[in-house]
Amino acid sequence: MEAKDFNLEHAAIAWCPGCGNFGILNALKGALAELDIAPEGLVMVSGIGQAAKTPHYLKCNFFNGLHGRALPAATAIKAANPGLTVIAESGDGDMYGEGGNHWLHTIRRNPNLTNLVHDNMVYGLTKGQASPTSPQGMITPVQVRGVVNEPFNPLAAAIALDASFVARAFSGDLQQTKEILKQAIRHPGYALVDILHPCVSFNKLNTFQWFKEHTEYLDAGHDPSDREAAFAQALRTDRLPLGVFYLNRERRPFEETLPAYADRSEPLYRRRPDLAKLAAVIATRRD
């Protein structure tokens, strides 16, 4: 397959020229093509925001839901049809803000899906107010005297919760982002990829050049199975590390733990209700 197999003809892309979302979209197309994942076997799930428009520009099945509610829908889709490749994709505000509670419990369940978070440190769709990852002191149209809150650290939180795959990428490096996405999609369990990228219209602080000067890849000797080492890297602020921080291959995916699949592998979406059993259950409640 080739990346162009995921092109949508006549898609009217609403992103600003130079937006970091373009790099993520191209890296994702390349990763899907190299993994030979056909569009009909792929489901993209998103919430609200500029990043959440990504599935609109990609040939695939998609579910575009409520603000912050992508992960519950993605988990249910994977549970009903484990044969699908499921990717939940939205921005830092949608996933870590409105969807923060769902994010925590998705990590706890460990469904076999990939979670891509476009992290530009602002709410771009609503013109640039602070998001959970905005740095302290950042001036925005709403925080006119500067952001006062400590920024949320999604990598440290995910590692603390024992997420089974935790990585960070930078959309300005298409090749390495594609390689990280391939690892995440292949991972059998919940995989978080926090993807740094500039918002050229509303974030004048964290520009493309700023990310180039303030990021570096993890040392080749980094052992992703070492949770304490991964946590230490996630806390770094001198330069923001990129790459696969943490990997736990011991956790079973959520779908494999469901009683519905304990003695029957047929996916839920293909099953039909057993009316005789249902009638028997109803009868017991009438007694």
Side-chain angles (χ1 to χ4, degrees):
M1 295 183 64
E2 299 181 45
K4 66 180 182 181
D5 293 332
F6 292 91
N7 290 347
L8 266 186
E9 299 296 333
H10 310 302
I13 296 183
W15 296 331
C16 303
C19 176
N21 287 329
F22 286 102
I24 299 173
L25 177 62
N26 290 332
L28 179 59
K29 287 179 179 178
L32 293 168
E34 292 186 19
L35 292 174
D36 205 27
I37 296 172
E40 57 266 30
L42 170 67
V43 181
M44 300 287 297
V45 187
S46 64
I48 298 297
Q50 292 290 3
K53 294 177 181 176
T54 302
H56 303 183
Y57 312 141
L58 191 72
K59 185 184 291 183
C60 64
N61 306 289
F62 79 89
F63 180 90
N64 192 190
L66 300 175
H67 212 345
R69 275 34 176 192
L71 287 170
T75 300
I77 291 167
K78 188 66 180 179
N81 188 353
L84 294 169
T85 297
V86 179
I87 298 176
E89 185 166 17
S90 274
D92 44 297
D94 189 63
M95 284 291 176
Y96 305 142
E98 282 83 358
N101 189 47
H102 295 303
W103 184 73
L104 296 176
H105 291 284
T106 300
I107 292 174
R108 186 169 62 86
R109 296 187 179 100
N110 194 40
N112 187 7
L113 60 84
T114 305
N115 187 188
L116 308 183
V117 183
H118 299 216
D119 191 351
N120 61 6
M121 306 176 182
V122 292
Y123 282 91
L125 184 70
T126 45
K127 304 190 184 305
Q129 69 268 42
S131 83
T133 58
S134 297
Q136 281 182 314
M138 180 179 179
I139 304 293
T140 81
V142 176
Q143 288 78 23
V144 294
R145 295 183 179 177
V147 173
V148 297
N149 294 323
E150 183 79 17
F152 179 63
N153 186 329
L155 301 187
I159 294 167
L161 291 165
D162 202 17
S164 59
F165 183 103
V166 180
R168 180 193 278 146
F170 168 46
S171 71
D173 188 340
L174 183 62
Q175 183 63 31
Q176 289 301 316
T177 297
K178 182 181 69 175
E179 294 303 319
I180 292 170
L181 296 186
K182 285 165 60 180
Q183 292 183 60
I185 294 169
R186 284 196 297 253
H187 174 70
Y190 173 80
L192 169 68
V193 185
D194 185 77
I195 309 174
L196 302 175
H197 77 95
C199 175
V200 295
S201 294
F202 300 111
N203 186 341
K204 304 302 183 185
L205 176 64
N206 307 111
T207 62
F208 181 84
Q209 188 63 33
W210 187 94
F211 282 121
K212 287 190 70 174
E213 295 172 353
H214 292 80
T215 59
E216 65 181 12
Y217 283 93
L218 290 164
D219 186 84
H222 175 70
D223 177 5
S225 67
D226 186 335
R227 192 175 178 188
E228 291 187 11
F231 193 75
Q233 290 292 339
L235 295 180
R236 284 181 53 192
T237 56
D238 53 337
R239 292 177 72 87
L240 302 176
L242 304 170
V244 179
F245 285 61
Y246 182 59
L247 184 57
N248 182 348
R249 294 187 174 90
E250 302 300 319
R251 295 190 63 188
R252 294 177 65 197
F254 171 70
E255 309 81 62
E256 294 182 8
T257 66
L258 293 176
Y261 290 117
D263 53 6
R264 188 176 172 189
S265 62
E266 185 181 23
L268 295 179
Y269 85 97
R270 297 183 65 177
R271 301 184 192 183
R272 294 293 177 267
D274 187 326
L275 297 181
K277 286 185 178 179
L278 182 59
V281 170
I282 293 173
T284 62
R285 297 297 184 270
R286 288 174 175 165
D287 293 337

